[in-house]
Amino acid sequence: NTWHARSIPGNSAAVTSFARDGSGTLWIGTAGNGVFTFNGASTFTHQTTSNGLPSNDVRALLTDSDGHLWVATANGLALRGNGYWLAFKTSDSPIASNDLRALTLDNTDRIWIGTGANSISILNPKTTGSGMWNTSVISSTGGWHTINSLAADPSGEVWAATSAGVGQWISGTWTLHTVASYSLPNDNALSVASDPVGRAWAGTAGGLAFHYADGWRNTFHDTGSMLGSDRITSLASDGTLWAAAGSIVALRGTLTGTLGTFPPVINNF
């Protein structure tokens, strides 16, 4: 129940993402210095474009159901093989853009790849031929969307935090939730997460909202909550919601142990 800080040797870039692969190795993505692995004790290993990454600007990491690591970068997608990187770019694959921003895995093991170019590529690594790649676009009168974050819920719905609202994928169709549809506190959605019971949480530049069953239920702001800011930059949920806002990581749920010196207990939402 104790926090520890550990510097990464040879790294001054911001850390953007974490993932643990099927072998248990922890991978750490950075904004400009590639990826690092950590053995859990003291050894870091560095991988960059010189080792085969398509870019050193790493935006997201994902481990698939087979334990394989996928890396979204500013210049394409990479799959970690047995000691090598396999890159996917617009020049040699049907991926919609090289400017990648987000990754998630749905309940059929498809990989959803969010881009900065108004589109999401959907990769099914368990098939071949024309069914391997698809592209989806979230349409609205607002036009161009940057896909900032992606999350898949247990039922198979996919949620996309975009610069123009939150997209909800149901049965092959996108619905865009916005301020105008009385769904969000701000249309610039920065993060999204789904919890084990199917609630979707959306972090925006103006507060936090959550969706359950057939509608949006609540909005949370820094005033009246433990959020450090109305700008919610990152979300994760394992039954407890974790929200990064400002200089604070806030949580909503029930803890079974002490977090630092303050043990909040919340019994319901």
Side-chain angles (χ1 to χ4, degrees), residues 158-251:
V158 175
W159 296 84
T162 85
S163 54
V166 173
Q168 179 186 13
W169 172 272
I170 307 175
S171 303
T173 301
W174 284 106
T175 298
L176 186 67
H177 302 277
T178 63
V179 172
S181 64
Y182 305 101
S183 304
L184 302 176
N186 189 286
D187 282 341
N188 186 14
L190 305 173
S191 53
V192 67
S194 175
D195 66 23
V197 299
R199 287 174 296 208
W201 296 85
T204 77
L208 174 70
F210 92 87
H211 182 283
Y212 185 58
D214 58 352
W216 294 89
R217 303 303 179 91
N218 287 81
T219 299
F220 302 91
H221 297 278
D222 57 352
T223 301
S225 78
M226 293 183 66
L227 294 170
S229 165
D230 273 351
R231 186 177 180 85
I232 316 299
T233 55
S234 186
L235 294 171
S237 180
D238 54 3
T240 295
L241 179 75
W242 302 81
S247 60
I248 292 174
V249 176
L251 60 92

Side-chain angles (χ1 to χ4, degrees), residues 127-161:
T127 190
T128 58
S130 59
M132 189 173 184
W133 289 91
N134 288 284
T135 298
S136 182
V137 176
I138 305 175
S139 299
S140 80
T141 55
W144 197 268
H145 300 175
T146 295
I147 312 300
N148 294 315
S149 178
L150 291 166
D153 72 18
S155 71
E157 293 181 15
V158 175
W159 296 84

Side-chain angles (χ1 to χ4, degrees), residues 3 5 10-12 14-15 20-21 28 36 48 55 62 65 83 114-115 130 134 142 211 216 219 223 228 241 266:
W3 291 97
N11 180 60
S12 59
V15 172
R20 197 176 294 276
D21 67 19
I28 305 164
F36 291 82
T48 66
S55 170
L62 174 74
S65 60
T115 78
S130 59
N134 288 284
H211 182 283
W216 294 89
T219 299
T223 301
L241 179 75
I266 301 171

Side-chain angles (χ1 to χ4, degrees), residues 26-50:
L26 179 66
W27 292 81
I28 305 164
T30 73
N33 200 20
V35 296
F36 291 82
T37 61
F38 180 55
N39 70 352
S42 60
T43 303
F44 288 88
T45 303
H46 195 195
Q47 299 274 321
T48 66
T49 52
S50 63

Side-chain angles (χ1 to χ4, degrees), residues 83-108:
Y84 64 90
W85 295 100
L86 179 62
F88 301 87
K89 299 184 180 183
T90 54
S91 59
D92 53 29
S93 78
I95 197 168
S97 171
N98 288 332
D99 179 12
L100 308 184
R101 304 299 181 93
L103 296 170
T104 197
L105 187 73
D106 71 16
N107 64 351
T108 63

